[in-house]
Amino acid sequence: MKFFPLKIKREVLFVALLFVCTSFANAHSDLYADVKINAVFDEKGFVGVQNIWSFDEVYSREMLAVADEDGDGRFSLNESELLKNEVLAPFMEADCFNHVLSGANFLRAKGIEKFSAKNKDGRLVLDFLVAYPVVPAISEYSMLVIAVWDPLHNILMTVDMDGSGVKNRTLDVEYFADKLDGLTLFRGFSADAEGLFVRFKKK
């Protein structure tokens, strides 16, 4: 008898997590996230976009209740992996949220790396790298435009472009934030959407 409540708890957690994640992936229009990004470079060139998403308190409470199985207020490796697979994977398949323009083409993301989840003052914070094929640094400047936007409006994002930037130790990199209007390939974006304009080359 003493194991019966635990079995029920696990079944309830599974159903609740399935419900929350399904809602998230199907136009959960009252879901909010504060977002910061960093363009990430290594010695070869541009390699990805670091994302830091801080979710609203209501959604955060739901996820803490269903994903924090041991109730310690933190996410173990297994719990973080569950959040990564159930929450972010569907959007990676659709290539949503991070949009990187190189020349006349949008880059196709390779996947999610260096994922972590934490509870910060009652808010769920996801920190992860969206990896891209390397855009090599050459002797002349190469230009990228990086934007965060959800075309399906599943998440109402507030993007802090002033708090966004680059992670780089080896290349000559310059960047600034500005509006995207006027760029043809971003014409479907919100009129007030901003992007991170980055140029880089070998030192």
Side-chain angles (χ1 to χ4, degrees):
M1 281 295 293
K2 65 179 180 180
F3 294 109
F4 184 71
L6 180 59
K7 181 180 178 182
I8 292 295
K9 180 182 178 183
R10 286 179 176 170
E11 290 176 352
V12 170
L13 286 172
F14 175 77
V15 172
L17 183 59
L18 182 63
F19 173 77
V20 170
C21 293
T22 301
S23 298
F24 183 84
N26 291 281
H28 193 311
S29 59
D30 58 347
L31 178 60
Y32 300 86
D34 296 324
V35 175
K36 290 182 182 180
I37 60 169
N38 286 294
V40 180
F41 296 83
D42 66 12
E43 68 280 359
K44 294 180 180 179
F46 170 79
V47 295
V49 181
Q50 180 192 25
N51 288 253
I52 303 173
W53 295 359
S54 180
F55 289 94
D56 66 273
E57 293 180 356
V58 173
Y59 180 73
S60 296
R61 280 198 302 270
E62 292 177 352
M63 292 308 296
L64 284 169
V66 299
D68 180 19
E69 293 186 340
D70 55 14
D72 65 354
R74 295 176 294 177
F75 295 105
S76 67
L77 181 61
N78 288 340
E79 291 165 348
S80 292
E81 192 68 16
L82 179 63
L83 285 170
K84 173 185 172 183
N85 291 335
E86 296 297 331
V87 177
L88 292 181
F91 299 110
M92 287 303 301
E93 291 174 4
D95 223 21
C96 290
F97 299 120
N98 285 177
H99 307 269
V100 181
L101 182 65
S102 176
N105 298 299
F106 284 103
L107 301 180
R108 180 77 180 178
K110 289 167 47 180
I112 298 170
E113 300 177 1
K114 301 178 181 178
F115 176 88
S116 68
K118 65 181 178 180
N119 173 12
K120 184 177 181 181
D121 300 324
R123 300 185 70 178
L124 171 64
V125 179
L126 303 183
D127 190 336
F128 58 96
L129 176 77
V130 178
Y132 286 89
V134 175
V135 180
I138 58 177
S139 57
E140 301 295 328
Y141 278 115
S142 299
M143 185 79 180
L144 298 174
V145 182
I146 304 171
V148 179
W149 190 62
D150 172 15
L152 303 177
H153 306 297
N154 294 321
I155 304 178
L156 300 178
M157 292 182 165
T158 301
V159 185
D160 179 9
M161 296 307 302
D162 291 332
S164 298
V166 303
K167 285 193 170 185
N168 161 66
R169 293 183 179 179
T170 58
L171 303 177
D172 179 356
V173 182
E174 299 176 355
Y175 68 95
F176 63 91
D178 203 354
K179 292 287 185 68
L180 295 170
D181 52 340
L183 297 179
T184 303
L185 292 177
F186 288 97
R187 62 181 178 273
F189 283 44
S190 170
D192 59 353
E194 291 188 341
L196 199 64
F197 291 74
V198 183
R199 69 176 191 170
F200 63 98
K201 67 176 183 178
K202 294 180 180 179
K203 288 185 177 180

